[in-house]
Amino acid sequence: FRRVDGISDAVAVATSGTHSLVLRRDGTVLAWGENTNGQIGSERALQRKFGRAFPVSIETPLPVDGIAGAVAIAAGHWHSAALLADGTIRTWGSGERGIPGDGRMDVTTYRLSPAVVAGIDNAVAIAANSLHTFALLADKTVRGWGCGLGGPGFYGVLGTGRDGDSAVPAPVALGTKAAAIATGVNSGVVLLEDGTVQAWGTPTGFYERGGNRWMNSNVPVPVPEVRDAIAVSPYLFLLADGTVRTIERPGSPVPGVAGAVAVASDHVNRYALLEDGSLVGWGHPRWWPQGVTKVADLGRDTARAFAARAPER
């Protein structure tokens, strides 16, 4: 771990792996990293030559222009998103394939200033990955927009029942109320109020010929053998008994992980925060050859502060 200098009032973080966001206590957002599509959201992150704006990578966190009153943040590969206190959502970065969610299917235009996501004024949570974004609304429904990644080997990432992109938020085909959302590179995940989990797309990141695995679907389907879940991340589920399940093997607890209070994951790395403050990690064997490894001791106070809470049933 490396300390990010100059930030002492962070309340949330998000990263795509190539750019990062920090939500500050005052509701403003800082961003740094790769800016190839304007995902940093700052005019100061651009070089101007020949009358055009040329993106550059930024090493020092910069304020995102035009964002105030934010309560949550999310980062996709080429875009960023912020949920505001009034329930509306702003996006900035790539304009391709409906990524901004502002109704324009622009293929070349960056959103260098935050765009207003169309038709949403009651969001309570957001999640982003790859080239898409999801919003959990106050009525416990879910909307998705951006790149649908339909085609051979992949299923509709937006979970609407059809493949293809959407420039406006489209309803995810859930049959019951959602309590939390997460999204992977090729998938979406929803924690339902009854403690079960549903997923769609291609959650493992690959397609198996024959399509007989539960995980290949353009509509949400139940994740087998997961009950009493209290938190979800793109590739991990936290159960009320402190065990952790993976999206690839949901029927079996992760060996060596017990007493977990929070989880986080991407397609390479998996993390669990334990009740004693230990942060353990594992994942792709190339980068985690020892399996589950203690990464840091963050202390019991941190564990208590970030412990997942069971959703109201």
Side-chain angles (χ1 to χ4, degrees), residues 261-294:
V261 297
V263 291
S265 59
D266 61 25
H267 61 290
V268 172
N269 309 289
R270 315 289 166 90
Y271 293 97
L273 178 62
L274 308 186
E275 57 192 355
D276 66 359
S278 298
L279 180 66
V280 297
W282 69 99
H284 193 291
R286 178 178 175 183
W287 290 278
W288 298 92
Q290 305 301 318
V292 176
T293 304
K294 184 175 180 178

Side-chain angles (χ1 to χ4, degrees), residues 233-276:
S233 71
Y235 306 95
L236 296 178
F237 316 125
L238 173 62
L239 273 56
D241 63 3
T243 61
V244 176
R245 308 292 179 90
T246 69
I247 203 162
E248 299 91 348
R249 296 178 179 85
S252 303
V254 176
V257 179
V261 297
V263 291
S265 59
D266 61 25
H267 61 290
V268 172
N269 309 289
R270 315 289 166 90
Y271 293 97
L273 178 62
L274 308 186
E275 57 192 355
D276 66 359

Side-chain angles (χ1 to χ4, degrees), residues 2-308:
R2 178 179 64 85
R3 182 183 180 90
V4 179
D5 294 330
I7 300 176
S8 59
D9 57 351
V11 295
V13 296
T15 183
S16 68
T18 57
H19 80 287
S20 299
L21 307 174
V22 164
L23 174 61
R24 305 179 75 178
R25 190 172 293 114
D26 64 1
T28 60
V29 177
L30 299 174
W32 70 97
E34 184 179 300
N35 193 44
T36 51
N37 289 270
Q39 58 265 52
I40 299 303
S42 171
E43 289 287 339
R44 285 178 288 170
L46 299 172
Q47 293 178 341
R48 294 193 175 274
K49 298 178 181 178
F50 313 112
R52 293 182 55 197
F54 287 77
V56 295
S57 294
I58 299 300
E59 295 183 3
T60 303
L62 292 176
V64 176
D65 295 335
I67 292 291
V71 295
I73 50 176
H77 289 177
W78 296 349
H79 72 291
S80 304
L83 168 63
L84 305 190
D86 63 3
T88 62
I89 300 170
R90 303 293 187 272
T91 60
W92 58 98
S94 174
E96 295 185 18
R97 307 192 68 166
I99 292 172
D102 59 0
R104 292 186 293 158
M105 193 69 75
D106 227 333
V107 296
T108 58
T109 304
Y110 303 142
R111 304 297 193 270
L112 301 180
S113 297
V116 179
V117 174
I120 291 182
D121 60 7
N122 62 339
V124 296
I126 54 174
N129 206 315
S130 191
L131 312 178
H132 58 271
T133 308
F134 292 101
L136 173 63
L137 306 187
D139 63 4
K140 300 185 179 180
T141 61
V142 178
R143 301 288 188 274
W145 64 93
C147 176
L149 273 180
F154 294 99
Y155 286 75
V157 174
L158 300 183
T160 61
R162 65 177 182 83
D163 297 335
D165 307 336
S166 179
V168 295
V172 174
L174 289 170
T176 187
K177 293 182 177 181
I181 54 174
T183 180
V185 174
N186 303 315
S187 62
V189 177
V190 167
L191 171 64
L192 302 180
E193 284 192 311
D194 64 1
T196 61
V197 176
Q198 292 190 7
W200 60 91
T202 310
T204 60
F206 62 86
Y207 172 73
E208 293 192 0
R209 186 174 294 278
N212 58 356
R213 295 290 294 273
W214 68 269
M215 57 195 69
N216 297 321
S217 174
N218 63 8
V219 295
V221 294
V223 178
E225 301 183 75
V226 172
R227 302 289 185 272
D228 294 321
I230 60 173
V232 293
S233 71
Y235 306 95
L236 296 178
F237 316 125
L238 173 62
L239 273 56
D241 63 3
T243 61
V244 176
R245 308 292 179 90
T246 69
I247 203 162
E248 299 91 348
R249 296 178 179 85
S252 303
V254 176
V257 179
V261 297
V263 291
S265 59
D266 61 25
H267 61 290
V268 172
N269 309 289
R270 315 289 166 90
Y271 293 97
L273 178 62
L274 308 186
E275 57 192 355
D276 66 359
S278 298
L279 180 66
V280 297
W282 69 99
H284 193 291
R286 178 178 175 183
W287 290 278
W288 298 92
Q290 305 301 318
V292 176
T293 304
K294 184 175 180 178
V295 176
D297 185 355
L298 303 180
R300 288 185 178 274
D301 288 345
T302 298
R304 283 192 290 268
F306 288 92

